[in-house]
Amino acid sequence: VVHPGHNNYSGTLVNALVHHFGNLPMNQQEVPRPGLVHRIDKDTSGLLVVAKNELAMTHLAKQFFDHSIERKYRALVWGDLENDEGTVNEFIGRSIKDRRVMQVYTDGEQGKNAITHYKVIERFHYVTLIECQLETGRTHQIRIHLKHLGHPLFNDVAYGGSRIVKGTSFTKYKQFIDNCFKLLPGQALHAYSLGFVHPISHKKIYFESELPDPYKEILEKWSRYTSRD
């Protein structure tokens, strides 16, 4: 968990940052979160940038506000996407029925505008590995946008991806899926690339984070499984 919240008051990233660095700059949001200029969901792996001083906070926050930060994710989704690439441009807001999750508001009268670009990296017939690039940074944006397309993230409990969405009813297939689920702590989503302008040098810098070993193992499992079809 990135920052303290309901049922998660300790053991978060922010708790660790404050312990390690002491004083950190506060963001300008309603709830102060030391050092944070953005977040990633619990159980989403990968890169997160933290501001250690006021200058860094100001520069990074503006870049996020201007949508100039380059963020790319690797997502394993259920099903075989129709197009090799595309864009989801749908408003996102809190669900009326369950405030813990988000939903798409197609009429645009509620929620906030959210834009996700995606392209296919590899197809496994039952699931597809895609790259997602965020133009905006809404809560659960990739997860709810892909669910809206009918392709929820693999093993995403909150958005319907922790059950068999596509495939057969054979016992061996069900066992294969269960074995894959057990490898992941949550949804198959990894923040693998982050690019921004450095607050001091003003040079564009990029960082990349390899897929975690469990994620790689699942892709290898799918590759072997579908090669037998």
Side-chain angles (χ1 to χ4, degrees), residues 1-2 13 38-49 71-76 129 132 134 142-143 153-154 183-194 208-216 218-219:
V1 178
V2 172
L13 175 63
H38 72 129
R39 297 169 287 169
I40 56 177
D41 296 339
K42 177 186 176 182
D43 295 331
T44 293
S45 55
L47 296 168
L48 186 79
V49 61
R71 287 174 290 169
K72 295 180 181 179
Y73 290 72
R74 290 283 192 265
L76 185 66
L129 180 65
C132 294
L134 294 181
I142 292 174
R143 299 164 67 187
L153 268 64
F154 190 75
L183 286 172
L184 282 176
Q187 61 276 355
L189 185 61
H190 178 72
Y192 91 95
S193 176
L194 189 64
E208 288 190 359
S209 171
E210 285 192 19
L211 291 174
D213 288 339
Y215 205 140
K216 290 180 181 177
I218 285 175
L219 295 180

mmCIF file of all heavy atoms in Angstrom, residues 1-2 13 38-49 71-76 129 132 134 142-143 153-154 183-194 208-216 218-219:
data_model
loop_
_atom_site.group_PDB
_atom_site.id
_atom_site.type_symbol
_atom_site.label_atom_id
_atom_site.label_comp_id
_atom_site.label_asym_id
_atom_site.label_seq_id
_atom_site.Cartn_x
_atom_site.Cartn_y
_atom_site.Cartn_z
ATOM 1 N N VAL A 1 0.849 -1.188 0.000
ATOM 2 C CA VAL A 1 0.000 0.000 0.000
ATOM 3 C C VAL A 1 0.888 1.243 0.000
ATOM 4 O O VAL A 1 1.853 1.328 0.750
ATOM 5 C CB VAL A 1 -0.934 0.000 1.240
ATOM 6 C CG1 VAL A 1 -1.788 1.254 1.260
ATOM 7 C CG2 VAL A 1 -1.810 -1.241 1.237
ATOM 8 N N VAL A 2 0.563 2.218 -0.837
ATOM 9 C CA VAL A 2 1.426 3.381 -1.004
ATOM 10 C C VAL A 2 1.330 4.355 0.176
ATOM 11 O O VAL A 2 2.333 4.849 0.669
ATOM 12 C CB VAL A 2 1.106 4.109 -2.334
ATOM 13 C CG1 VAL A 2 1.862 5.432 -2.431
ATOM 14 C CG2 VAL A 2 1.465 3.216 -3.514
ATOM 15 N N LEU A 13 4.224 2.521 2.057
ATOM 16 C CA LEU A 13 5.408 3.141 1.482
ATOM 17 C C LEU A 13 5.695 4.485 2.142
ATOM 18 O O LEU A 13 6.838 4.802 2.458
ATOM 19 C CB LEU A 13 5.236 3.321 -0.031
ATOM 20 C CG LEU A 13 6.362 4.075 -0.744
ATOM 21 C CD1 LEU A 13 7.680 3.313 -0.631
ATOM 22 C CD2 LEU A 13 6.008 4.330 -2.194
ATOM 23 N N HIS A 38 2.484 10.953 -7.203
ATOM 24 C CA HIS A 38 1.541 10.031 -7.846
ATOM 25 C C HIS A 38 1.536 8.731 -7.063
ATOM 26 O O HIS A 38 2.269 8.579 -6.079
ATOM 27 C CB HIS A 38 1.897 9.787 -9.322
ATOM 28 C CG HIS A 38 3.117 8.949 -9.537
ATOM 29 N ND1 HIS A 38 3.161 7.851 -10.360
ATOM 30 C CD2 HIS A 38 4.370 9.047 -9.013
ATOM 31 C CE1 HIS A 38 4.367 7.325 -10.361
ATOM 32 N NE2 HIS A 38 5.119 8.026 -9.556
ATOM 33 N N ARG A 39 0.687 7.793 -7.473
ATOM 34 C CA ARG A 39 0.561 6.522 -6.761
ATOM 35 C C ARG A 39 0.447 5.383 -7.771
ATOM 36 O O ARG A 39 0.159 5.620 -8.933
ATOM 37 C CB ARG A 39 -0.698 6.523 -5.884
ATOM 38 C CG ARG A 39 -0.709 7.547 -4.771
ATOM 39 C CD ARG A 39 -2.080 7.646 -4.140
ATOM 40 N NE ARG A 39 -3.035 8.336 -5.012
ATOM 41 C CZ ARG A 39 -4.348 8.381 -4.800
ATOM 42 N NH1 ARG A 39 -4.869 7.751 -3.766
ATOM 43 N NH2 ARG A 39 -5.136 9.030 -5.627
ATOM 44 N N ILE A 40 0.678 4.186 -7.303
ATOM 45 C CA ILE A 40 0.284 2.994 -8.055
ATOM 46 C C ILE A 40 -0.547 2.132 -7.109
ATOM 47 O O ILE A 40 -0.412 2.211 -5.891
ATOM 48 C CB ILE A 40 1.492 2.200 -8.617
ATOM 49 C CG1 ILE A 40 2.471 1.809 -7.510
ATOM 50 C CG2 ILE A 40 2.196 2.983 -9.697
ATOM 51 C CD1 ILE A 40 3.632 0.954 -8.028
ATOM 52 N N ASP A 41 -1.424 1.329 -7.692
ATOM 53 C CA ASP A 41 -2.336 0.522 -6.883
ATOM 54 C C ASP A 41 -1.598 -0.527 -6.068
ATOM 55 O O ASP A 41 -0.519 -0.997 -6.452
ATOM 56 C CB ASP A 41 -3.344 -0.211 -7.785
ATOM 57 C CG ASP A 41 -4.244 0.738 -8.539
ATOM 58 O OD1 ASP A 41 -4.379 1.894 -8.097
ATOM 59 O OD2 ASP A 41 -4.799 0.333 -9.572
ATOM 60 N N LYS A 42 -2.209 -0.890 -4.968
ATOM 61 C CA LYS A 42 -1.715 -2.029 -4.202
ATOM 62 C C LYS A 42 -1.646 -3.246 -5.127
ATOM 63 O O LYS A 42 -2.551 -3.485 -5.929
ATOM 64 C CB LYS A 42 -2.661 -2.318 -3.037
ATOM 65 C CG LYS A 42 -2.275 -3.538 -2.212
ATOM 66 C CD LYS A 42 -3.342 -3.834 -1.167
ATOM 67 C CE LYS A 42 -2.987 -5.114 -0.411
ATOM 68 N NZ LYS A 42 -4.023 -5.476 0.581
ATOM 69 N N ASP A 43 -0.573 -3.996 -5.020
ATOM 70 C CA ASP A 43 -0.331 -5.208 -5.807
ATOM 71 C C ASP A 43 0.005 -4.930 -7.268
ATOM 72 O O ASP A 43 0.143 -5.857 -8.063
ATOM 73 C CB ASP A 43 -1.511 -6.196 -5.734
ATOM 74 C CG ASP A 43 -1.708 -6.748 -4.333
ATOM 75 O OD1 ASP A 43 -0.708 -6.840 -3.596
ATOM 76 O OD2 ASP A 43 -2.851 -7.088 -3.981
ATOM 77 N N THR A 44 0.127 -3.656 -7.646
ATOM 78 C CA THR A 44 0.711 -3.316 -8.936
ATOM 79 C C THR A 44 2.196 -3.101 -8.705
ATOM 80 O O THR A 44 2.581 -2.310 -7.841
ATOM 81 C CB THR A 44 0.091 -2.035 -9.523
ATOM 82 O OG1 THR A 44 -1.278 -2.286 -9.857
ATOM 83 C CG2 THR A 44 0.818 -1.587 -10.781
ATOM 84 N N SER A 45 3.022 -3.792 -9.461
ATOM 85 C CA SER A 45 4.474 -3.692 -9.268
ATOM 86 C C SER A 45 5.042 -2.591 -10.151
ATOM 87 O O SER A 45 4.369 -2.066 -11.035
ATOM 88 C CB SER A 45 5.141 -5.032 -9.599
ATOM 89 O OG SER A 45 4.790 -5.448 -10.911
ATOM 90 N N GLY A 46 6.316 -2.236 -9.881
ATOM 91 C CA GLY A 46 6.992 -1.332 -10.791
ATOM 92 C C GLY A 46 7.409 -0.008 -10.203
ATOM 93 O O GLY A 46 7.596 0.123 -8.984
ATOM 94 N N LEU A 47 7.524 0.998 -11.057
ATOM 95 C CA LEU A 47 8.178 2.261 -10.741
ATOM 96 C C LEU A 47 7.243 3.301 -10.132
ATOM 97 O O LEU A 47 6.092 3.447 -10.540
ATOM 98 C CB LEU A 47 8.788 2.855 -12.012
ATOM 99 C CG LEU A 47 9.916 2.045 -12.661
ATOM 100 C CD1 LEU A 47 10.211 2.579 -14.053
ATOM 101 C CD2 LEU A 47 11.171 2.088 -11.791
ATOM 102 N N LEU A 48 7.802 4.030 -9.159
ATOM 103 C CA LEU A 48 7.104 5.146 -8.525
ATOM 104 C C LEU A 48 8.152 6.210 -8.228
ATOM 105 O O LEU A 48 9.217 5.900 -7.688
ATOM 106 C CB LEU A 48 6.440 4.679 -7.224
ATOM 107 C CG LEU A 48 5.556 5.678 -6.492
ATOM 108 C CD1 LEU A 48 4.185 5.739 -7.176
ATOM 109 C CD2 LEU A 48 5.371 5.265 -5.040
ATOM 110 N N VAL A 49 7.889 7.470 -8.577
ATOM 111 C CA VAL A 49 8.844 8.544 -8.296
ATOM 112 C C VAL A 49 8.390 9.298 -7.049
ATOM 113 O O VAL A 49 7.200 9.555 -6.857
ATOM 114 C CB VAL A 49 9.001 9.497 -9.501
ATOM 115 C CG1 VAL A 49 7.686 10.185 -9.853
ATOM 116 C CG2 VAL A 49 10.084 10.536 -9.230
ATOM 117 N N ARG A 71 4.423 7.436 -18.814
ATOM 118 C CA ARG A 71 4.256 6.224 -17.997
ATOM 119 C C ARG A 71 3.726 5.089 -18.863
ATOM 120 O O ARG A 71 2.689 5.224 -19.499
ATOM 121 C CB ARG A 71 3.275 6.490 -16.859
ATOM 122 C CG ARG A 71 3.824 7.363 -15.749
ATOM 123 C CD ARG A 71 2.767 7.700 -14.738
ATOM 124 N NE ARG A 71 1.776 8.615 -15.291
ATOM 125 C CZ ARG A 71 0.631 8.919 -14.694
ATOM 126 N NH1 ARG A 71 0.312 8.328 -13.568
ATOM 127 N NH2 ARG A 71 -0.202 9.768 -15.250
ATOM 128 N N LYS A 72 4.458 3.998 -18.856
ATOM 129 C CA LYS A 72 4.033 2.821 -19.611
ATOM 130 C C LYS A 72 3.941 1.615 -18.684
ATOM 131 O O LYS A 72 4.779 1.442 -17.796
ATOM 132 C CB LYS A 72 5.005 2.534 -20.759
ATOM 133 C CG LYS A 72 5.020 3.630 -21.824
ATOM 134 C CD LYS A 72 5.992 3.302 -22.945
ATOM 135 C CE LYS A 72 6.015 4.407 -23.990
ATOM 136 N NZ LYS A 72 6.975 4.112 -25.085
ATOM 137 N N TYR A 73 2.930 0.816 -18.920
ATOM 138 C CA TYR A 73 2.667 -0.355 -18.095
ATOM 139 C C TYR A 73 2.615 -1.608 -18.966
ATOM 140 O O TYR A 73 2.306 -1.533 -20.159
ATOM 141 C CB TYR A 73 1.309 -0.222 -17.381
ATOM 142 C CG TYR A 73 1.265 0.821 -16.288
ATOM 143 C CD1 TYR A 73 1.279 2.176 -16.584
ATOM 144 C CD2 TYR A 73 1.183 0.445 -14.945
ATOM 145 C CE1 TYR A 73 1.223 3.134 -15.584
ATOM 146 C CE2 TYR A 73 1.125 1.390 -13.940
ATOM 147 C CZ TYR A 73 1.142 2.726 -14.262
ATOM 148 O OH TYR A 73 1.083 3.672 -13.263
ATOM 149 N N ARG A 74 2.894 -2.734 -18.354
ATOM 150 C CA ARG A 74 2.652 -4.031 -18.960
ATOM 151 C C ARG A 74 1.441 -4.647 -18.273
ATOM 152 O O ARG A 74 1.409 -4.753 -17.042
ATOM 153 C CB ARG A 74 3.860 -4.952 -18.795
ATOM 154 C CG ARG A 74 5.076 -4.552 -19.613
ATOM 155 C CD ARG A 74 4.903 -4.931 -21.079
ATOM 156 N NE ARG A 74 6.150 -4.812 -21.828
ATOM 157 C CZ ARG A 74 6.522 -3.769 -22.523
ATOM 158 N NH1 ARG A 74 5.750 -2.709 -22.556
ATOM 159 N NH2 ARG A 74 7.661 -3.760 -23.196
ATOM 160 N N ALA A 75 0.461 -5.021 -19.057
ATOM 161 C CA ALA A 75 -0.768 -5.603 -18.512
ATOM 162 C C ALA A 75 -1.099 -6.897 -19.247
ATOM 163 O O ALA A 75 -1.059 -6.947 -20.478
ATOM 164 C CB ALA A 75 -1.930 -4.616 -18.643
ATOM 165 N N LEU A 76 -1.411 -7.922 -18.490
ATOM 166 C CA LEU A 76 -1.896 -9.180 -19.063
ATOM 167 C C LEU A 76 -3.401 -9.203 -18.880
ATOM 168 O O LEU A 76 -3.889 -9.152 -17.744
ATOM 169 C CB LEU A 76 -1.252 -10.386 -18.370
ATOM 170 C CG LEU A 76 -1.591 -11.761 -18.966
ATOM 171 C CD1 LEU A 76 -1.007 -11.896 -20.372
ATOM 172 C CD2 LEU A 76 -1.083 -12.884 -18.068
ATOM 173 N N LEU A 129 -0.934 -9.992 -23.774
ATOM 174 C CA LEU A 129 -0.014 -9.074 -23.110
ATOM 175 C C LEU A 129 -0.017 -7.769 -23.892
ATOM 176 O O LEU A 129 0.224 -7.751 -25.095
ATOM 177 C CB LEU A 129 1.401 -9.663 -23.078
ATOM 178 C CG LEU A 129 2.468 -8.788 -22.415
ATOM 179 C CD1 LEU A 129 2.184 -8.606 -20.935
ATOM 180 C CD2 LEU A 129 3.862 -9.383 -22.624
ATOM 181 N N CYS A 132 0.343 -0.385 -21.985
ATOM 182 C CA CYS A 132 -0.586 0.727 -21.780
ATOM 183 C C CYS A 132 0.200 1.995 -21.475
ATOM 184 O O CYS A 132 1.121 1.967 -20.646
ATOM 185 C CB CYS A 132 -1.538 0.440 -20.621
ATOM 186 S SG CYS A 132 -2.670 -0.923 -20.899
ATOM 187 N N LEU A 134 -0.358 5.897 -20.189
ATOM 188 C CA LEU A 134 -1.348 6.768 -19.569
ATOM 189 C C LEU A 134 -1.193 8.207 -20.048
ATOM 190 O O LEU A 134 -0.093 8.755 -20.037
ATOM 191 C CB LEU A 134 -1.210 6.733 -18.049
ATOM 192 C CG LEU A 134 -1.538 5.410 -17.357
ATOM 193 C CD1 LEU A 134 -1.376 5.562 -15.855
ATOM 194 C CD2 LEU A 134 -2.932 4.948 -17.692
ATOM 195 N N ILE A 142 -6.242 2.003 -15.689
ATOM 196 C CA ILE A 142 -6.030 0.908 -16.634
ATOM 197 C C ILE A 142 -6.974 -0.244 -16.339
ATOM 198 O O ILE A 142 -7.577 -0.833 -17.251
ATOM 199 C CB ILE A 142 -4.563 0.428 -16.584
ATOM 200 C CG1 ILE A 142 -3.636 1.508 -17.135
ATOM 201 C CG2 ILE A 142 -4.380 -0.867 -17.373
ATOM 202 C CD1 ILE A 142 -2.153 1.185 -16.999
ATOM 203 N N ARG A 143 -7.126 -0.543 -15.078
ATOM 204 C CA ARG A 143 -7.943 -1.695 -14.682
ATOM 205 C C ARG A 143 -9.402 -1.529 -15.104
ATOM 206 O O ARG A 143 -10.014 -2.455 -15.661
ATOM 207 C CB ARG A 143 -7.827 -1.905 -13.173
ATOM 208 C CG ARG A 143 -6.400 -2.201 -12.726
ATOM 209 C CD ARG A 143 -6.217 -2.028 -11.238
ATOM 210 N NE ARG A 143 -6.977 -3.046 -10.492
ATOM 211 C CZ ARG A 143 -7.096 -3.039 -9.173
ATOM 212 N NH1 ARG A 143 -6.534 -2.062 -8.459
ATOM 213 N NH2 ARG A 143 -7.781 -3.992 -8.564
ATOM 214 N N LEU A 153 -8.074 -7.280 -16.340
ATOM 215 C CA LEU A 153 -6.722 -7.745 -16.083
ATOM 216 C C LEU A 153 -6.734 -9.125 -15.440
ATOM 217 O O LEU A 153 -7.589 -9.431 -14.604
ATOM 218 C CB LEU A 153 -5.981 -6.769 -15.157
ATOM 219 C CG LEU A 153 -5.165 -5.676 -15.852
ATOM 220 C CD1 LEU A 153 -6.063 -4.740 -16.636
ATOM 221 C CD2 LEU A 153 -4.342 -4.899 -14.839
ATOM 222 N N PHE A 154 -5.786 -9.929 -15.842
ATOM 223 C CA PHE A 154 -5.637 -11.279 -15.301
ATOM 224 C C PHE A 154 -5.433 -11.200 -13.785
ATOM 225 O O PHE A 154 -4.583 -10.472 -13.297
ATOM 226 C CB PHE A 154 -4.436 -11.959 -15.968
ATOM 227 C CG PHE A 154 -4.306 -13.423 -15.690
ATOM 228 C CD1 PHE A 154 -5.144 -14.342 -16.311
ATOM 229 C CD2 PHE A 154 -3.350 -13.893 -14.804
ATOM 230 C CE1 PHE A 154 -5.027 -15.701 -16.060
ATOM 231 C CE2 PHE A 154 -3.210 -15.235 -14.554
ATOM 232 C CZ PHE A 154 -4.058 -16.157 -15.179
ATOM 233 N N LEU A 183 0.635 -17.626 -8.368
ATOM 234 C CA LEU A 183 1.949 -16.998 -8.526
ATOM 235 C C LEU A 183 1.909 -15.485 -8.307
ATOM 236 O O LEU A 183 2.903 -14.879 -7.917
ATOM 237 C CB LEU A 183 2.509 -17.289 -9.917
ATOM 238 C CG LEU A 183 3.027 -18.701 -10.176
ATOM 239 C CD1 LEU A 183 3.363 -18.871 -11.652
ATOM 240 C CD2 LEU A 183 4.258 -18.981 -9.320
ATOM 241 N N LEU A 184 0.751 -14.865 -8.576
ATOM 242 C CA LEU A 184 0.652 -13.411 -8.516
ATOM 243 C C LEU A 184 0.032 -12.945 -7.203
ATOM 244 O O LEU A 184 -0.923 -13.541 -6.717
ATOM 245 C CB LEU A 184 -0.206 -12.890 -9.669
ATOM 246 C CG LEU A 184 0.425 -12.808 -11.056
ATOM 247 C CD1 LEU A 184 -0.623 -12.374 -12.065
ATOM 248 C CD2 LEU A 184 1.590 -11.838 -11.072
ATOM 249 N N PRO A 185 0.544 -11.848 -6.630
ATOM 250 C CA PRO A 185 -0.078 -11.290 -5.427
ATOM 251 C C PRO A 185 -1.373 -10.540 -5.738
ATOM 252 O O PRO A 185 -2.177 -10.279 -4.856
ATOM 253 C CB PRO A 185 0.993 -10.328 -4.902
ATOM 254 C CG PRO A 185 1.749 -9.916 -6.125
ATOM 255 C CD PRO A 185 1.762 -11.118 -7.021
ATOM 256 N N GLY A 186 -1.564 -10.153 -6.987
ATOM 257 C CA GLY A 186 -2.762 -9.393 -7.372
ATOM 258 C C GLY A 186 -2.877 -9.340 -8.877
ATOM 259 O O GLY A 186 -2.492 -10.274 -9.578
ATOM 260 N N GLN A 187 -3.386 -8.228 -9.404
ATOM 261 C CA GLN A 187 -3.598 -8.069 -10.835
ATOM 262 C C GLN A 187 -2.270 -8.072 -11.594
ATOM 263 O O GLN A 187 -1.250 -7.621 -11.083
ATOM 264 C CB GLN A 187 -4.363 -6.779 -11.134
ATOM 265 C CG GLN A 187 -3.679 -5.506 -10.706
ATOM 266 C CD GLN A 187 -3.913 -5.159 -9.241
ATOM 267 O OE1 GLN A 187 -4.670 -5.832 -8.547
ATOM 268 N NE2 GLN A 187 -3.270 -4.101 -8.767
ATOM 269 N N ALA A 188 -2.300 -8.582 -12.816
ATOM 270 C CA ALA A 188 -1.087 -8.666 -13.654
ATOM 271 C C ALA A 188 -0.822 -7.317 -14.307
ATOM 272 O O ALA A 188 -1.059 -7.108 -15.499
ATOM 273 C CB ALA A 188 -1.252 -9.760 -14.705
ATOM 274 N N LEU A 189 -0.318 -6.380 -13.504
ATOM 275 C CA LEU A 189 -0.062 -5.019 -13.974
ATOM 276 C C LEU A 189 1.276 -4.560 -13.411
ATOM 277 O O LEU A 189 1.526 -4.644 -12.207
ATOM 278 C CB LEU A 189 -1.183 -4.081 -13.519
ATOM 279 C CG LEU A 189 -1.134 -2.642 -14.033
ATOM 280 C CD1 LEU A 189 -1.227 -2.597 -15.556
ATOM 281 C CD2 LEU A 189 -2.262 -1.817 -13.408
ATOM 282 N N HIS A 190 2.133 -4.047 -14.308
ATOM 283 C CA HIS A 190 3.483 -3.650 -13.911
ATOM 284 C C HIS A 190 3.837 -2.312 -14.530
ATOM 285 O O HIS A 190 3.766 -2.141 -15.749
ATOM 286 C CB HIS A 190 4.489 -4.718 -14.368
ATOM 287 C CG HIS A 190 5.912 -4.392 -14.055
ATOM 288 N ND1 HIS A 190 6.425 -4.436 -12.775
ATOM 289 C CD2 HIS A 190 6.944 -4.001 -14.860
ATOM 290 C CE1 HIS A 190 7.717 -4.097 -12.804
ATOM 291 N NE2 HIS A 190 8.044 -3.834 -14.043
ATOM 292 N N ALA A 191 4.201 -1.341 -13.686
ATOM 293 C CA ALA A 191 4.642 -0.031 -14.158
ATOM 294 C C ALA A 191 6.107 -0.140 -14.557
ATOM 295 O O ALA A 191 6.994 -0.053 -13.722
ATOM 296 C CB ALA A 191 4.455 1.013 -13.057
ATOM 297 N N TYR A 192 6.355 -0.342 -15.844
ATOM 298 C CA TYR A 192 7.702 -0.708 -16.263
ATOM 299 C C TYR A 192 8.542 0.464 -16.781
ATOM 300 O O TYR A 192 9.774 0.380 -16.841
ATOM 301 C CB TYR A 192 7.655 -1.818 -17.316
ATOM 302 C CG TYR A 192 7.617 -1.351 -18.745
ATOM 303 C CD1 TYR A 192 8.790 -1.244 -19.494
ATOM 304 C CD2 TYR A 192 6.427 -0.996 -19.355
ATOM 305 C CE1 TYR A 192 8.762 -0.812 -20.804
ATOM 306 C CE2 TYR A 192 6.398 -0.556 -20.662
ATOM 307 C CZ TYR A 192 7.560 -0.468 -21.388
ATOM 308 O OH TYR A 192 7.541 -0.028 -22.675
ATOM 309 N N SER A 193 7.918 1.576 -17.165
ATOM 310 C CA SER A 193 8.689 2.688 -17.729
ATOM 311 C C SER A 193 8.167 4.017 -17.195
ATOM 312 O O SER A 193 6.952 4.231 -17.104
ATOM 313 C CB SER A 193 8.599 2.665 -19.251
ATOM 314 O OG SER A 193 9.269 3.777 -19.807
ATOM 315 N N LEU A 194 9.109 4.899 -16.837
ATOM 316 C CA LEU A 194 8.750 6.210 -16.303
ATOM 317 C C LEU A 194 9.745 7.238 -16.827
ATOM 318 O O LEU A 194 10.960 7.061 -16.709
ATOM 319 C CB LEU A 194 8.797 6.176 -14.770
ATOM 320 C CG LEU A 194 8.249 7.378 -14.007
ATOM 321 C CD1 LEU A 194 6.751 7.534 -14.256
ATOM 322 C CD2 LEU A 194 8.505 7.211 -12.508
ATOM 323 N N GLU A 208 13.434 2.218 -16.308
ATOM 324 C CA GLU A 208 12.684 1.006 -16.658
ATOM 325 C C GLU A 208 12.868 -0.028 -15.567
ATOM 326 O O GLU A 208 13.930 -0.113 -14.940
ATOM 327 C CB GLU A 208 13.144 0.445 -18.003
ATOM 328 C CG GLU A 208 12.703 1.267 -19.196
ATOM 329 C CD GLU A 208 12.961 0.555 -20.519
ATOM 330 O OE1 GLU A 208 13.502 -0.564 -20.498
ATOM 331 O OE2 GLU A 208 12.625 1.130 -21.566
ATOM 332 N N SER A 209 11.832 -0.798 -15.333
ATOM 333 C CA SER A 209 11.845 -1.851 -14.329
ATOM 334 C C SER A 209 11.408 -3.153 -14.983
ATOM 335 O O SER A 209 10.323 -3.227 -15.579
ATOM 336 C CB SER A 209 10.884 -1.499 -13.172
ATOM 337 O OG SER A 209 10.719 -2.598 -12.299
ATOM 338 N N GLU A 210 12.251 -4.163 -14.888
ATOM 339 C CA GLU A 210 11.911 -5.462 -15.484
ATOM 340 C C GLU A 210 10.676 -6.065 -14.820
ATOM 341 O O GLU A 210 10.369 -5.769 -13.667
ATOM 342 C CB GLU A 210 13.086 -6.442 -15.324
ATOM 343 C CG GLU A 210 14.247 -6.195 -16.251
ATOM 344 C CD GLU A 210 15.228 -7.349 -16.230
ATOM 345 O OE1 GLU A 210 14.850 -8.457 -15.793
ATOM 346 O OE2 GLU A 210 16.380 -7.150 -16.655
ATOM 347 N N LEU A 211 9.999 -6.915 -15.560
ATOM 348 C CA LEU A 211 8.867 -7.628 -14.988
ATOM 349 C C LEU A 211 9.341 -8.478 -13.814
ATOM 350 O O LEU A 211 10.410 -9.086 -13.876
ATOM 351 C CB LEU A 211 8.209 -8.533 -16.032
ATOM 352 C CG LEU A 211 7.466 -7.858 -17.178
ATOM 353 C CD1 LEU A 211 7.023 -8.913 -18.181
ATOM 354 C CD2 LEU A 211 6.259 -7.089 -16.665
ATOM 355 N N PRO A 212 8.565 -8.562 -12.743
ATOM 356 C CA PRO A 212 8.923 -9.435 -11.619
ATOM 357 C C PRO A 212 8.962 -10.891 -12.078
ATOM 358 O O PRO A 212 8.280 -11.272 -13.043
ATOM 359 C CB PRO A 212 7.786 -9.204 -10.616
ATOM 360 C CG PRO A 212 7.139 -7.931 -11.030
ATOM 361 C CD PRO A 212 7.320 -7.824 -12.505
ATOM 362 N N ASP A 213 9.734 -11.700 -11.393
ATOM 363 C CA ASP A 213 9.884 -13.111 -11.772
ATOM 364 C C ASP A 213 8.554 -13.862 -11.860
ATOM 365 O O ASP A 213 8.354 -14.638 -12.807
ATOM 366 C CB ASP A 213 10.835 -13.817 -10.807
ATOM 367 C CG ASP A 213 12.281 -13.372 -11.017
ATOM 368 O OD1 ASP A 213 12.589 -12.858 -12.106
ATOM 369 O OD2 ASP A 213 13.094 -13.539 -10.091
ATOM 370 N N PRO A 214 7.617 -13.676 -10.898
ATOM 371 C CA PRO A 214 6.335 -14.385 -11.034
ATOM 372 C C PRO A 214 5.584 -14.021 -12.315
ATOM 373 O O PRO A 214 4.956 -14.877 -12.947
ATOM 374 C CB PRO A 214 5.548 -13.932 -9.794
ATOM 375 C CG PRO A 214 6.586 -13.559 -8.801
ATOM 376 C CD PRO A 214 7.689 -12.943 -9.613
ATOM 377 N N TYR A 215 5.655 -12.749 -12.689
ATOM 378 C CA TYR A 215 5.002 -12.274 -13.912
ATOM 379 C C TYR A 215 5.641 -12.953 -15.129
ATOM 380 O O TYR A 215 4.949 -13.448 -16.034
ATOM 381 C CB TYR A 215 5.160 -10.761 -13.999
ATOM 382 C CG TYR A 215 4.125 -10.020 -14.816
ATOM 383 C CD1 TYR A 215 3.621 -8.801 -14.393
ATOM 384 C CD2 TYR A 215 3.661 -10.527 -16.025
ATOM 385 C CE1 TYR A 215 2.690 -8.092 -15.139
ATOM 386 C CE2 TYR A 215 2.734 -9.839 -16.778
ATOM 387 C CZ TYR A 215 2.257 -8.615 -16.329
ATOM 388 O OH TYR A 215 1.331 -7.933 -17.077
ATOM 389 N N LYS A 216 6.981 -12.995 -15.157
ATOM 390 C CA LYS A 216 7.688 -13.656 -16.260
ATOM 391 C C LYS A 216 7.311 -15.137 -16.328
ATOM 392 O O LYS A 216 7.122 -15.697 -17.424
ATOM 393 C CB LYS A 216 9.200 -13.524 -16.063
ATOM 394 C CG LYS A 216 9.756 -12.135 -16.256
ATOM 395 C CD LYS A 216 11.264 -12.156 -16.033
ATOM 396 C CE LYS A 216 11.892 -10.793 -16.193
ATOM 397 N NZ LYS A 216 13.351 -10.819 -15.910
ATOM 398 N N ILE A 218 4.555 -16.576 -15.399
ATOM 399 C CA ILE A 218 3.192 -16.741 -15.928
ATOM 400 C C ILE A 218 3.194 -16.606 -17.449
ATOM 401 O O ILE A 218 2.526 -17.384 -18.154
ATOM 402 C CB ILE A 218 2.241 -15.716 -15.288
ATOM 403 C CG1 ILE A 218 1.915 -16.142 -13.856
ATOM 404 C CG2 ILE A 218 0.949 -15.575 -16.098
ATOM 405 C CD1 ILE A 218 1.096 -15.152 -13.100
ATOM 406 N N LEU A 219 3.937 -15.645 -17.983
ATOM 407 C CA LEU A 219 4.019 -15.486 -19.435
ATOM 408 C C LEU A 219 4.637 -16.716 -20.087
ATOM 409 O O LEU A 219 4.205 -17.152 -21.167
ATOM 410 C CB LEU A 219 4.823 -14.237 -19.786
ATOM 411 C CG LEU A 219 4.228 -12.891 -19.370
ATOM 412 C CD1 LEU A 219 5.150 -11.753 -19.779
ATOM 413 C CD2 LEU A 219 2.841 -12.693 -19.964
#
